[in-house]
Amino acid sequence: MNRREPLGIAVIGAGRMGADHVRRIDRTIGGARVAAVADVDADRAEAVAADIEGCTAHTDPAAAMTAPGVDAVLVASPGPAHEATLLAAFEHDLPVLCEKPLTPDAASALRVMEAEQALGHRRVQVGFMRRYDAEYVRLKALLDSGQLGRPLMLHNRHRNVASPAFFTSAMLITDSVAHEVDATRWLLGHEIRAVTVLRPAASAGAPEGLRDPQFVVLETDGGALSDVEIFVNCGFGYQVQAEAVCERGTARIGDGHALVTHTAGRWGGTIAQDWSERFAQAYDDEVRAWVDGIRRGEVTGPSTWDGYAAAAVCEAGVRALEGGGRVEVDLVDKPDLYR
Ligand code: ISE
């Protein structure tokens, strides 16, 4: 890569997330350009590439990675396609930003981790974008400062207006709670050792048969408890909130109080309607940090280990949801590359 030239990125997956990243790289992030786009749907790839000068469209991710001017890969295809794409990127030793989940289960995440270790250096940043959200960053800094003492509990609420048609009860864990799994590990610096999933009556607002909402309890190896209310058909807004309860105080984020109005005998504000609005700044900073890191010759941020640990916890969570009870999480020893 010529360091004076913009970093050429192949975006794999041109659905909602991929198209949003293409727009971000093209219009918001400095120092990078979209050099290629791939999607199983050729028309979709072409439609996204058409607006960008010099960008080629592909249906095969491997062809997009070897297109002219490609220095790095952003993976935004569905989770089950990630393993093959990541292994192909490793063959060309290209840095990758991989949207969550790294892969859908722990066994495939382990295979990816082994392949990355064989390269001898980190190549993957996993797209756990909350680590770049200004409120989460402040909460993490406060907890790390020790000012409030040891964190004992984390209460999380994660609400979506409505779930997409393809959403299953297990996806509330693997697609949605996956974020709280990573946020808990990152904020507390603990691994999650066991998962319990409680199921209140399903909301009449949820599609027939969907176990929504769910209440998930994560136990950490540092003795903390992190609970997550996940409610993906709450109907009224997109809310992600977290409250840390520590030995000497509490700290809470996500109340959305950026603008509060008082008028005509009422007070109030607005609630975001989806994650692209709530986490716009986080996504921008995540991709910017990835691009800047590559230009310095580094890969930082959530690693393949973090993607693997999240996959293992979510797998245990799905077993807890289906079988009930408390399910322990089995993690391999952390390889040196990720220490
Ligand atoms: C979606 O995949 C996301 O990543 C969103 O952040 C989350 O709120 C939503 O529940 C998921 O389906």
Coordinates of all heavy atoms in Angstrom, one line a residue, residues 16-100:
R16 N -28.1 -3.8 4.0 CA -28.3 -2.6 4.8 C -27.0 -2.1 5.4 O -26.6 -1.0 5.3 CB -29.3 -2.8 5.8 CG -29.6 -1.6 6.6 CD -30.8 -1.6 7.4 NE -30.7 -0.4 8.3 CZ -31.3 -0.3 9.5 NH1 -32.1 -1.3 9.9 NH2 -31.2 0.7 10.2
M17 N -26.3 -3.0 6.1 CA -25.1 -2.7 6.9 C -23.9 -2.3 5.9 O -23.2 -1.4 6.1 CB -24.7 -3.9 7.8 CG -24.0 -3.6 9.0 SD -24.8 -2.4 10.1 CE -23.7 -1.1 10.1
G18 N -23.8 -3.2 4.9 CA -22.7 -3.0 3.9 C -22.9 -1.7 3.2 O -21.9 -0.9 3.0
A19 N -24.1 -1.4 2.7 CA -24.3 -0.2 2.0 C -24.1 1.0 2.9 O -23.5 2.1 2.4 CB -25.8 -0.2 1.5
D20 N -24.4 0.9 4.2 CA -24.1 2.0 5.1 C -22.6 2.2 5.3 O -22.2 3.4 5.3 CB -24.8 1.7 6.4 CG -24.9 2.9 7.3 OD1 -25.2 4.0 6.8 OD2 -24.7 2.8 8.5
H21 N -21.9 1.1 5.3 CA -20.4 1.3 5.4 C -19.8 1.9 4.2 O -18.9 2.7 4.2 CB -19.8 -0.1 5.7 CG -19.9 -0.5 7.2 ND1 -19.6 0.3 8.2 CD2 -20.2 -1.7 7.8 CE1 -19.8 -0.3 9.4 NE2 -20.2 -1.5 9.1
V22 N -20.4 1.5 3.0 CA -19.9 2.0 1.7 C -20.1 3.6 1.8 O -19.2 4.3 1.5 CB -20.6 1.4 0.5 CG1 -20.4 2.2 -0.7 CG2 -20.2 0.0 0.3
R23 N -21.3 4.0 2.2 CA -21.5 5.4 2.3 C -20.6 6.1 3.2 O -20.0 7.2 2.9 CB -23.0 5.6 2.7 CG -23.4 7.1 2.9 CD -24.6 7.2 3.9 NE -24.4 6.6 5.2 CZ -23.7 7.1 6.2 NH1 -23.0 8.2 6.0 NH2 -23.6 6.4 7.3
R24 N -20.3 5.4 4.4 CA -19.5 6.0 5.4 C -18.0 6.2 4.9 O -17.4 7.2 5.1 CB -19.5 5.0 6.6 CG -18.6 5.3 7.7 CD -18.9 4.4 8.9 NE -20.2 4.7 9.5 CZ -21.3 4.0 9.4 NH1 -21.3 2.8 8.8 NH2 -22.4 4.4 9.9
I25 N -17.5 5.1 4.2 CA -16.1 5.2 3.7 C -16.0 6.3 2.6 O -15.1 7.0 2.5 CB -15.7 3.8 3.1 CG1 -15.7 2.8 4.3 CG2 -14.3 3.9 2.5 CD1 -15.7 1.3 3.8
D26 N -17.1 6.3 1.8 CA -17.1 7.2 0.6 C -17.2 8.7 1.0 O -16.6 9.6 0.5 CB -18.2 6.8 -0.3 CG -18.1 7.5 -1.7 OD1 -17.0 7.5 -2.2 OD2 -19.1 8.0 -2.2
R27 N -18.1 8.9 2.0 CA -18.4 10.3 2.4 C -17.9 10.8 3.7 O -17.8 12.0 3.9 CB -19.9 10.5 2.4 CG -20.7 9.8 1.3 CD -21.4 10.8 0.4 NE -22.0 10.0 -0.7 CZ -23.2 9.5 -0.8 NH1 -24.1 9.8 0.2 NH2 -23.6 8.8 -1.8
T28 N -17.7 9.9 4.7 CA -17.4 10.4 6.0 C -16.0 10.2 6.5 O -15.4 11.0 7.2 CB -18.3 9.7 7.0 OG1 -19.7 9.7 6.5 CG2 -18.3 10.4 8.4
I29 N -15.4 9.0 6.1 CA -14.1 8.7 6.6 C -13.0 9.2 5.7 O -13.1 9.0 4.5 CB -13.9 7.1 6.7 CG1 -15.1 6.5 7.4 CG2 -12.6 6.7 7.3 CD1 -15.2 6.8 8.9
G30 N -12.0 9.8 6.2 CA -10.9 10.3 5.4 C -9.9 9.1 5.2 O -9.9 8.2 6.0
G31 N -9.1 9.2 4.1 CA -8.0 8.2 4.0 C -8.3 6.9 3.5 O -7.5 6.0 3.4
A32 N -9.6 6.7 3.0 CA -10.0 5.4 2.4 C -10.9 5.6 1.3 O -11.6 6.6 1.2 CB -10.6 4.6 3.5
R33 N -11.0 4.6 0.4 CA -12.0 4.6 -0.7 C -12.5 3.2 -0.9 O -11.8 2.2 -0.5 CB -11.3 5.1 -2.0 CG -10.2 4.3 -2.5 CD -9.6 4.8 -3.8 NE -10.4 4.4 -4.9 CZ -10.2 3.2 -5.6 NH1 -9.1 2.5 -5.3 NH2 -10.9 2.9 -6.6
V34 N -13.7 3.1 -1.4 CA -14.3 1.8 -1.7 C -13.8 1.4 -3.1 O -14.1 2.0 -4.1 CB -15.8 1.8 -1.6 CG1 -16.4 0.4 -1.9 CG2 -16.3 2.3 -0.3
A35 N -12.9 0.3 -3.1 CA -12.3 -0.1 -4.4 C -13.2 -1.2 -5.0 O -13.1 -1.4 -6.2 CB -10.9 -0.6 -4.1
A36 N -13.9 -2.0 -4.2 CA -14.7 -3.1 -4.8 C -15.8 -3.4 -3.8 O -15.7 -3.2 -2.6 CB -13.8 -4.4 -4.9
V37 N -16.9 -3.9 -4.4 CA -18.1 -4.3 -3.6 C -18.5 -5.7 -4.1 O -18.5 -6.0 -5.3 CB -19.3 -3.4 -3.8 CG1 -20.5 -3.9 -3.1 CG2 -19.0 -2.0 -3.3
A38 N -18.8 -6.6 -3.2 CA -19.3 -8.0 -3.6 C -20.6 -8.2 -2.9 O -20.8 -7.9 -1.7 CB -18.3 -9.0 -3.2
D39 N -21.5 -8.9 -3.6 CA -22.8 -9.3 -3.0 C -23.3 -10.5 -3.8 O -23.0 -10.6 -5.0 CB -23.8 -8.2 -3.0 CG -25.0 -8.5 -2.0 OD1 -25.9 -9.3 -2.4 OD2 -24.9 -7.9 -0.9
V40 N -23.9 -11.5 -3.1 CA -24.5 -12.6 -3.9 C -25.5 -12.1 -4.9 O -25.6 -12.7 -6.0 CB -25.2 -13.6 -3.0 CG1 -24.2 -14.5 -2.3 CG2 -26.1 -13.0 -2.0
D41 N -26.1 -11.0 -4.7 CA -27.0 -10.4 -5.6 C -26.3 -9.4 -6.5 O -25.9 -8.3 -6.0 CB -28.1 -9.7 -4.8 CG -29.2 -9.0 -5.7 OD1 -28.9 -8.7 -6.8 OD2 -30.3 -8.7 -5.1
A42 N -26.0 -9.8 -7.8 CA -25.2 -9.0 -8.7 C -25.7 -7.6 -8.8 O -25.0 -6.6 -8.9 CB -25.0 -9.7 -10.0
D43 N -27.1 -7.5 -9.0 CA -27.7 -6.2 -9.2 C -27.4 -5.3 -8.0 O -27.2 -4.1 -8.2 CB -29.2 -6.3 -9.4 CG -29.5 -7.0 -10.7 OD1 -28.6 -7.1 -11.5 OD2 -30.7 -7.5 -10.8
R44 N -27.5 -5.8 -6.8 CA -27.3 -5.0 -5.6 C -25.9 -4.5 -5.5 O -25.6 -3.4 -5.3 CB -27.7 -5.9 -4.4 CG -27.8 -5.1 -3.1 CD -28.8 -5.7 -2.2 NE -28.2 -6.9 -1.5 CZ -28.7 -7.5 -0.5 NH1 -29.8 -7.0 0.1 NH2 -28.1 -8.5 0.1
A45 N -24.9 -5.4 -5.9 CA -23.5 -5.0 -5.8 C -23.3 -3.9 -6.9 O -22.6 -2.9 -6.6 CB -22.6 -6.3 -6.2
E46 N -23.9 -4.1 -8.0 CA -23.6 -3.1 -9.1 C -24.3 -1.8 -8.7 O -23.7 -0.7 -9.0 CB -24.2 -3.6 -10.4 CG -23.0 -4.2 -11.2 CD -23.5 -5.2 -12.3 OE1 -24.6 -5.0 -12.8 OE2 -22.8 -6.2 -12.5
A47 N -25.5 -1.8 -8.1 CA -26.1 -0.6 -7.7 C -25.3 0.2 -6.7 O -25.2 1.4 -6.8 CB -27.5 -0.9 -7.2
V48 N -24.7 -0.5 -5.8 CA -23.9 0.2 -4.8 C -22.6 0.7 -5.4 O -22.2 1.8 -5.1 CB -23.6 -0.8 -3.6 CG1 -22.6 -0.2 -2.6 CG2 -24.9 -1.1 -2.8
A49 N -22.0 -0.1 -6.2 CA -20.7 0.3 -6.8 C -20.8 1.4 -7.8 O -19.9 2.2 -8.0 CB -20.0 -0.9 -7.5
A50 N -22.0 1.5 -8.5 CA -22.2 2.4 -9.6 C -21.9 3.9 -9.2 O -21.5 4.7 -10.0 CB -23.6 2.3 -10.1
D51 N -22.2 4.2 -7.9 CA -22.1 5.6 -7.5 C -20.6 6.0 -7.2 O -20.3 7.1 -6.9 CB -22.9 5.8 -6.2 CG -24.4 5.7 -6.4 OD1 -24.8 5.9 -7.6 OD2 -25.1 5.5 -5.5
I52 N -19.7 5.0 -7.2 CA -18.4 5.3 -6.7 C -17.3 5.1 -7.8 O -17.2 4.0 -8.4 CB -18.0 4.4 -5.5 CG1 -19.0 4.7 -4.4 CG2 -16.6 4.6 -5.0 CD1 -19.1 3.6 -3.4
E53 N -16.6 6.2 -8.1 CA -15.6 6.1 -9.2 C -14.6 5.1 -9.0 O -14.0 4.9 -7.9 CB -15.0 7.5 -9.2 CG -14.5 7.9 -10.6 CD -13.7 9.2 -10.6 OE1 -14.1 10.1 -10.0 OE2 -12.5 9.1 -11.1
G54 N -14.4 4.3 -10.0 CA -13.3 3.3 -9.9 C -13.6 2.0 -9.1 O -12.8 1.2 -8.9
C55 N -14.9 1.9 -8.6 CA -15.3 0.8 -7.8 C -15.8 -0.3 -8.7 O -16.7 -0.1 -9.5 CB -16.3 1.2 -6.8 SG -16.9 -0.1 -5.7
T56 N -15.3 -1.6 -8.5 CA -15.8 -2.7 -9.3 C -16.8 -3.5 -8.5 O -16.8 -3.5 -7.2 CB -14.6 -3.6 -9.7 OG1 -13.9 -4.0 -8.5 CG2 -13.7 -2.9 -10.6
A57 N -17.7 -4.2 -9.2 CA -18.8 -5.0 -8.5 C -18.5 -6.5 -8.8 O -18.1 -6.8 -9.9 CB -20.1 -4.6 -9.1
H58 N -18.8 -7.3 -7.8 CA -18.5 -8.7 -7.9 C -19.6 -9.5 -7.2 O -20.3 -9.0 -6.3 CB -17.2 -9.1 -7.2 CG -16.1 -8.2 -7.7 ND1 -15.2 -8.6 -8.6 CD2 -15.7 -6.9 -7.3 CE1 -14.3 -7.6 -8.8 NE2 -14.6 -6.6 -8.1
T59 N -19.7 -10.8 -7.5 CA -20.6 -11.7 -6.7 C -19.7 -12.6 -5.8 O -20.2 -13.1 -4.8 CB -21.5 -12.6 -7.6 OG1 -20.7 -13.2 -8.6 CG2 -22.6 -11.8 -8.3
D60 N -18.5 -12.8 -6.2 CA -17.6 -13.6 -5.4 C -16.6 -12.8 -4.5 O -15.9 -12.0 -5.0 CB -16.7 -14.4 -6.4 CG -15.7 -15.3 -5.7 OD1 -15.8 -15.5 -4.5 OD2 -14.8 -15.8 -6.5
P61 N -16.7 -13.0 -3.2 CA -15.9 -12.2 -2.3 C -14.4 -12.3 -2.6 O -13.7 -11.3 -2.6 CB -16.2 -12.8 -0.9 CG -17.5 -13.5 -1.0 CD -17.6 -13.9 -2.5
A62 N -13.9 -13.5 -3.0 CA -12.5 -13.7 -3.3 C -12.1 -12.8 -4.5 O -11.0 -12.3 -4.5 CB -12.2 -15.1 -3.6
A63 N -13.0 -12.7 -5.5 CA -12.7 -11.8 -6.6 C -12.6 -10.4 -6.2 O -11.7 -9.6 -6.7 CB -13.7 -12.0 -7.7
A64 N -13.5 -9.9 -5.3 CA -13.5 -8.5 -4.9 C -12.1 -8.3 -4.1 O -11.6 -7.2 -4.3 CB -14.6 -8.3 -3.9
M65 N -11.7 -9.2 -3.3 CA -10.4 -9.0 -2.6 C -9.2 -8.9 -3.4 O -8.2 -8.3 -3.0 CB -10.2 -10.2 -1.6 CG -11.1 -10.3 -0.5 SD -10.7 -11.8 0.5 CE -12.4 -12.1 1.1
T66 N -9.2 -9.5 -4.6 CA -8.1 -9.4 -5.5 C -8.3 -8.4 -6.6 O -7.5 -8.3 -7.6 CB -7.8 -10.8 -6.1 OG1 -9.0 -11.3 -6.7 CG2 -7.3 -11.8 -5.1
A67 N -9.3 -7.6 -6.5 CA -9.6 -6.5 -7.5 C -8.5 -5.5 -7.4 O -7.9 -5.3 -6.3 CB -11.0 -5.9 -7.3
P68 N -8.3 -4.7 -8.5 CA -7.2 -3.7 -8.4 C -7.4 -2.7 -7.3 O -8.5 -2.3 -7.0 CB -7.4 -3.0 -9.8 CG -8.2 -3.9 -10.6 CD -9.0 -4.8 -9.7
G69 N -6.3 -2.4 -6.6 CA -6.4 -1.3 -5.6 C -6.9 -1.7 -4.2 O -7.1 -0.9 -3.4
V70 N -7.1 -3.1 -4.0 CA -7.7 -3.5 -2.7 C -6.6 -3.7 -1.7 O -5.7 -4.5 -1.9 CB -8.6 -4.7 -2.8 CG1 -9.0 -5.3 -1.5 CG2 -9.9 -4.4 -3.6
D71 N -6.7 -3.0 -0.5 CA -5.7 -3.2 0.5 C -6.3 -3.8 1.8 O -5.5 -4.2 2.7 CB -5.1 -1.8 1.0 CG -4.6 -1.0 -0.2 OD1 -3.7 -1.5 -0.9 OD2 -5.1 0.1 -0.4
A72 N -7.6 -3.8 1.9 CA -8.2 -4.2 3.2 C -9.7 -4.7 2.8 O -10.2 -4.3 1.8 CB -8.2 -3.1 4.2
V73 N -10.3 -5.4 3.8 CA -11.6 -6.0 3.5 C -12.6 -5.6 4.6 O -12.2 -5.8 5.8 CB -11.5 -7.5 3.4 CG1 -12.8 -8.1 3.0 CG2 -10.4 -8.0 2.4
L74 N -13.8 -5.2 4.3 CA -14.8 -5.0 5.3 C -15.9 -6.0 5.1 O -16.5 -6.0 4.0 CB -15.3 -3.5 5.2 CG -16.2 -3.1 6.4 CD1 -16.2 -1.6 6.5 CD2 -17.6 -3.6 6.4
V75 N -16.1 -6.9 6.0 CA -17.1 -8.0 5.8 C -18.4 -7.6 6.5 O -18.5 -7.4 7.7 CB -16.6 -9.3 6.4 CG1 -17.6 -10.4 6.2 CG2 -15.2 -9.6 5.8
A76 N -19.5 -7.5 5.7 CA -20.8 -7.1 6.2 C -21.9 -8.1 5.6 O -23.0 -7.7 5.4 CB -21.1 -5.7 5.8
S77 N -21.4 -9.3 5.3 CA -22.4 -10.3 4.7 C -23.0 -11.0 5.9 O -22.6 -10.8 7.1 CB -21.6 -11.3 3.8 OG -20.4 -11.7 4.5
P78 N -24.0 -11.9 5.7 CA -24.6 -12.6 6.9 C -23.5 -13.5 7.6 O -22.6 -14.0 6.9 CB -25.7 -13.5 6.2 CG -26.0 -12.8 4.9 CD -24.7 -12.2 4.5
G79 N -23.7 -13.6 8.9 CA -22.7 -14.4 9.7 C -22.2 -15.7 9.2 O -21.0 -16.0 9.2
P80 N -23.2 -16.6 8.7 CA -22.7 -17.9 8.2 C -21.7 -17.8 7.1 O -21.0 -18.8 6.8 CB -24.0 -18.6 7.8 CG -25.1 -17.9 8.6 CD -24.6 -16.5 8.7
A81 N -21.6 -16.7 6.3 CA -20.7 -16.6 5.2 C -19.3 -16.1 5.7 O -18.4 -16.1 4.9 CB -21.3 -15.6 4.2
H82 N -19.2 -15.7 7.0 CA -18.0 -15.0 7.4 C -16.7 -15.9 7.4 O -15.6 -15.4 7.0 CB -18.1 -14.4 8.8 CG -19.0 -13.2 8.8 ND1 -19.3 -12.5 10.0 CD2 -19.8 -12.6 7.9 CE1 -20.1 -11.5 9.7 NE2 -20.5 -11.6 8.4
E83 N -16.9 -17.2 7.8 CA -15.7 -18.0 7.9 C -14.9 -18.1 6.6 O -13.7 -17.8 6.5 CB -16.1 -19.4 8.4 CG -14.8 -20.3 8.6 CD -15.2 -21.7 9.1 OE1 -16.4 -22.0 9.3 OE2 -14.2 -22.5 9.2
A84 N -15.6 -18.4 5.5 CA -15.0 -18.6 4.2 C -14.4 -17.3 3.8 O -13.2 -17.3 3.2 CB -16.0 -19.1 3.2
T85 N -15.0 -16.2 4.0 CA -14.5 -14.9 3.6 C -13.2 -14.5 4.4 O -12.3 -14.0 3.8 CB -15.6 -13.8 3.8 OG1 -16.7 -14.2 3.0 CG2 -15.1 -12.4 3.3
L86 N -13.3 -14.8 5.7 CA -12.1 -14.5 6.5 C -10.9 -15.3 6.1 O -9.8 -14.8 6.0 CB -12.5 -14.7 8.0 CG -13.4 -13.7 8.6 CD1 -14.0 -14.2 9.9 CD2 -12.7 -12.3 8.8
L87 N -11.2 -16.6 5.8 CA -10.0 -17.5 5.5 C -9.5 -17.0 4.1 O -8.3 -17.0 3.9 CB -10.5 -19.0 5.4 CG -10.9 -19.5 6.8 CD1 -11.4 -21.0 6.7 CD2 -9.9 -19.4 7.9
A88 N -10.3 -16.6 3.2 CA -9.9 -16.1 1.9 C -9.0 -14.8 2.1 O -8.0 -14.6 1.5 CB -11.0 -15.8 1.0
A89 N -9.5 -13.9 3.0 CA -8.7 -12.7 3.3 C -7.3 -13.0 3.9 O -6.3 -12.4 3.5 CB -9.5 -11.8 4.2
F90 N -7.3 -14.1 4.7 CA -6.0 -14.5 5.3 C -5.1 -15.0 4.3 O -3.9 -14.8 4.3 CB -6.2 -15.6 6.4 CG -6.9 -15.1 7.6 CD1 -7.4 -16.1 8.5 CD2 -7.2 -13.8 7.9 CE1 -8.1 -15.7 9.7 CE2 -7.8 -13.4 9.1 CZ -8.3 -14.4 10.0
E91 N -5.6 -15.6 3.2 CA -4.7 -16.1 2.1 C -4.0 -15.0 1.5 O -2.9 -15.2 1.0 CB -5.6 -16.8 1.1 CG -5.8 -18.3 1.4 CD -6.7 -19.0 0.4 OE1 -6.7 -18.5 -0.8 OE2 -7.4 -19.9 0.8
H92 N -4.6 -13.8 1.5 CA -3.9 -12.7 0.9 C -3.4 -11.7 1.9 O -2.9 -10.6 1.6 CB -4.9 -11.9 0.0 CG -5.5 -12.7 -1.1 ND1 -4.8 -13.1 -2.2 CD2 -6.8 -13.3 -1.2 CE1 -5.6 -13.9 -3.0 NE2 -6.8 -14.0 -2.4
D93 N -3.4 -12.2 3.2 CA -2.9 -11.5 4.3 C -3.4 -10.0 4.4 O -2.7 -9.1 4.7 CB -1.3 -11.4 4.3 CG -0.7 -11.2 5.7 OD1 -1.5 -11.4 6.7 OD2 0.5 -10.9 5.8
L94 N -4.7 -9.9 4.1 CA -5.4 -8.6 4.2 C -6.0 -8.3 5.5 O -6.6 -9.2 6.1 CB -6.5 -8.5 3.1 CG -6.0 -8.6 1.6 CD1 -7.2 -8.8 0.7 CD2 -5.3 -7.3 1.3
P95 N -5.9 -7.1 6.0 CA -6.6 -6.7 7.2 C -8.1 -6.7 7.0 O -8.6 -6.3 5.9 CB -6.1 -5.3 7.6 CG -5.3 -4.8 6.4 CD -5.1 -6.0 5.4
V96 N -8.9 -7.1 8.0 CA -10.3 -7.2 7.9 C -11.1 -6.6 9.0 O -10.7 -6.7 10.2 CB -10.7 -8.7 7.9 CG1 -12.2 -8.9 7.6 CG2 -9.9 -9.6 7.0
L97 N -12.1 -5.8 8.7 CA -13.1 -5.4 9.7 C -14.3 -6.3 9.5 O -14.9 -6.2 8.4 CB -13.4 -3.9 9.6 CG -14.6 -3.4 10.5 CD1 -14.3 -3.6 12.0 CD2 -14.8 -1.9 10.2
C98 N -14.6 -7.2 10.5 CA -15.7 -8.1 10.3 C -16.8 -7.8 11.2 O -16.7 -7.8 12.4 CB -15.1 -9.5 10.6 SG -16.4 -10.8 10.4
E99 N -18.0 -7.5 10.6 CA -19.2 -7.2 11.3 C -19.5 -8.3 12.3 O -19.2 -9.5 12.0 CB -20.4 -7.0 10.4 CG -20.6 -5.5 10.0 CD -20.9 -4.6 11.2 OE1 -21.3 -5.1 12.2 OE2 -20.6 -3.4 11.1
K100 N -20.1 -8.1 13.4 CA -20.5 -9.1 14.3 C -21.6 -9.9 13.7 O -22.4 -9.3 13.0 CB -20.8 -8.6 15.7 CG -21.9 -7.6 15.7 CD -23.2 -8.1 16.3 CE -24.4 -8.5 15.8 NZ -25.6 -8.0 15.5

